[in-house]
Amino acid sequence: MDMDLQAFEARIARGELIEADDFMPDAYRRQCLRLIVTHANSELMGALPEREWIPRAPGLGRKLAVLSKVQDEIGHAQMIYRVAEDLAAPYGISRQDMLDDLIEGRAKFHNVFSYPAPTWADVGIIAWLVDGAALETQGALLKTSYAPYARILRRICAEEAVHLKHGEDIVLTLAAGTPGQRAMLQDALTRWWRPLLHFFGPPGESTNSDAFRWRVRIASNEELRQGFLRKYVPKIRRLGLAVPDAELRFDEATGKWLYGDPDWDEFWRVVKGGGLQTNERLSLRRLSREEHGWVVAAMRPETAA
Amino acid sequence: MADLEVFEVFGLEKPGAVVSHAGSLQAAGPDLAVVLAKELFCRRSEYVELWVVPRPCVHVAQRAKDALGPAEPRSYRLGSGYRDTVEKWKRFGGEQGGDR
């Protein structure tokens, strides 16, 4: 093992944080980059289904809240791409390349953004439970060894916590509403339950890997999913909603939630770009880049000068 | 086509606060960097003042590489190096050490 790598491993073992200019093994850089670019892509793609709801949100208050959530998500994408750019600099990869990769289907974004949001209740369920799930993942990543990512995650988590409150408020309002509103809420939960179980990825991956030792990854998929179920299943039931899984139960012996097979084949199909709305969302992203191209052009140095 | 510059963004969370690092961004010049910094870091009035600094203007010294601080402990530079004043005061009467 060469001296640099030895020193890097020793720093990690001491719990130290790695800055952008510090030595890092190529494998560490690539793992961080893959994770961080996927996160940035997901923030950007996540804003799209919500943007569709800005004109349709019921009332001015809700409209402003959805608008500001969309603004937050785009802001998160900007900050995360910035961290990714510094990591990718040695490979000569720019933000433009990352955005091209996304639009041309070469890069991943989170599965959860490949599903439709047909009703206002979906907006509530997404903001409460999808952002809740994201907060589980990102909350764990606050302990990442890559310092620039950890720093922006603190800001991002604080804002996601507000989104969660906003979603909780929509869900509570609908849950206390008319039978029609309650039915709409139940339908949305039924639609989103499987994508929510998929959110954290399949169980059983090895935690005995460089990624875990280097603290690029902090918690296993199943640990994160269990954290989510522990927090949200009791709340969902308290609202009198039914979780669409007959096998879901808390196992006293292991202290874990047991759930029915959420069809991992479907998960992999979506990962490979075969989600219900993967292509629609990517076309929307393409369209939005074309329509807003003039803003990017106006902010270029040769125009702005 | 000219490249965008990287700016480091710093801010004061309240009047008189210590300046802290907020993050970084890319922009064509300082004016647009300020516009973007407001959008990215101050949507909830987190700062009373924002600074944008072109990254090449930030010169860094690190403890590990650049011998920040003295090589030997120098307790006489620190308040904690004078803890025995508490004992010394006791010779001059009173139960309490020190002047509190």
Side-chain angles (χ1 to χ4, degrees):
Chain A
M1 194 155 58
D2 69 66
M3 294 290 284
D4 282 342
L5 182 57
Q6 225 163 16
F8 174 84
E9 291 278 4
R11 292 190 63 193
I12 292 284
R14 285 195 298 270
E16 287 181 24
L17 299 178
I18 308 302
E19 293 289 348
D21 294 337
D22 294 350
F23 170 84
M24 62 188 87
D26 189 58
Y28 175 87
R29 184 183 295 277
R30 286 182 191 278
Q31 285 172 14
C32 286
L33 189 57
R34 194 170 56 216
L35 178 81
I36 292 170
V37 170
T38 305
H39 183 181
N41 292 343
S42 301
E43 297 279 358
L44 192 56
M45 296 302 290
L48 295 175
E50 298 195 289
R51 192 190 67 169
E52 296 167 36
W53 273 96
I54 297 171
R56 291 184 282 164
L60 189 57
R62 295 295 194 204
K63 226 181 270 289
L64 287 170
V66 178
L67 193 65
S68 85
K69 183 172 192 291
V70 168
Q71 197 187 16
D72 281 346
E73 309 296 11
I74 300 295
H76 296 171
Q78 293 251 13
M79 291 193 289
I80 304 167
Y81 281 123
R82 186 77 273 295
V83 171
E85 277 166 345
D86 283 345
L87 263 176
Y91 306 131
I93 299 171
S94 70
R95 180 183 311 209
Q96 200 55 47
D97 299 326
M98 296 174 201
L99 293 172
D100 289 345
D101 282 349
L102 174 64
I103 274 183
E104 283 153 31
R106 290 190 297 267
K108 303 260 176 273
F109 61 94
H110 204 289
N111 267 20
V112 88
F113 302 120
S114 291
Y115 292 91
T119 73
W120 175 244
D122 292 73
V123 179
I125 292 289
I126 292 170
W128 185 34
L129 296 179
V130 174
D131 282 50
L135 208 46
E136 287 296 312
T137 309
Q138 289 163 22
L141 283 171
L142 289 170
K143 297 193 194 112
T144 175
S145 59
Y146 190 57
Y149 189 41
R151 277 195 291 269
I152 55 158
L153 277 171
R154 281 200 287 276
R155 182 178 297 272
I156 289 171
C157 284
E159 294 183 353
E160 295 292 349
V162 179
H163 300 166
L164 189 145
K165 282 282 156 201
H166 160 238
E168 204 175 45
D169 193 62
I170 296 172
V171 168
L172 283 166
T173 305
L174 291 175
T178 63
Q181 287 172 322
R182 284 188 61 87
M184 179 169 74
L185 184 60
Q186 177 64 61
D187 285 349
L189 175 68
T190 304
R191 257 192 300 281
W192 284 94
W193 189 251
R194 185 177 279 178
L196 282 165
L197 283 184
H198 286 174
F199 188 94
F200 305 96
E205 88 276 32
S206 170
T207 53
N208 182 21
S209 62
D210 286 348
F212 278 91
R213 194 180 69 256
W214 288 339
R215 298 197 314 282
V216 175
R217 295 200 52 196
I218 303 297
S220 73
N221 295 346
E222 192 56 28
E223 280 172 311
L224 294 169
R225 186 164 27 245
Q226 288 294 327
F228 174 80
L229 295 170
R230 215 167 23 245
K231 273 194 201 107
Y232 295 101
V233 173
K235 290 183 179 175
I236 291 168
R237 290 186 167 163
R238 195 171 151 202
L239 294 173
L241 297 171
V243 176
D245 178 358
E247 293 172 55
L248 182 75
R249 68 183 177 83
F250 185 72
D251 183 44
E252 296 287 348
T254 56
K256 286 189 173 153
W257 283 90
L258 304 177
Y259 49 87
D261 174 23
D263 187 0
W264 291 109
D265 291 341
E266 155 78 1
F267 168 85
W268 288 113
R269 213 163 29 247
V270 180
V271 168
K272 293 185 182 115
L276 268 178
Q277 291 218 318
T278 310
N279 287 326
E280 287 88 333
R281 291 274 156 75
L282 281 175
S283 325
L284 208 56
R285 171 67 200 123
R286 240 172 260 135
L287 182 69
S288 130
R289 186 150 113 162
E290 283 164 23
E291 284 181 346
H292 303 153
W294 69 271
V295 180
V296 178
M299 293 190 59
R300 298 281 323 162
E302 55 275 14
T303 330
Chain B
M1 198 160 70
D3 266 340
L4 298 169
E5 285 176 86
V6 174
F7 289 84
E8 296 293 340
V9 182
F10 303 87
L12 275 72
E13 291 183 6
K14 51 188 176 186
V18 172
V19 175
S20 60
H21 186 239
S24 67
L25 55 83
Q26 271 189 336
D31 294 344
L32 283 171
V34 168
V35 172
L36 208 52
K38 289 196 309 205
E39 291 299 325
L40 282 180
F41 299 106
C42 216
R43 288 193 297 275
R44 291 177 174 76
S45 309
E46 290 93 332
Y47 297 100
V48 295
E49 191 170 316
L50 280 174
W51 299 2
V52 298
V53 181
R55 180 177 270 181
C57 295
V58 180
H59 300 268
V60 177
Q62 286 186 331
R63 181 179 287 183
K65 292 183 206 153
D66 306 301
L68 278 192
E72 298 297 322
R74 290 187 182 167
S75 62
Y76 52 82
R77 289 186 193 272
L78 305 170
S80 60
Y82 301 93
R83 279 203 190 102
D84 56 356
T85 53
V86 175
E87 275 308 306
K88 287 174 180 167
W89 270 110
K90 285 182 181 165
R91 296 179 54 183
F92 299 91
E95 285 298 299
Q96 291 284 323
D99 51 358
R100 276 170 295 164

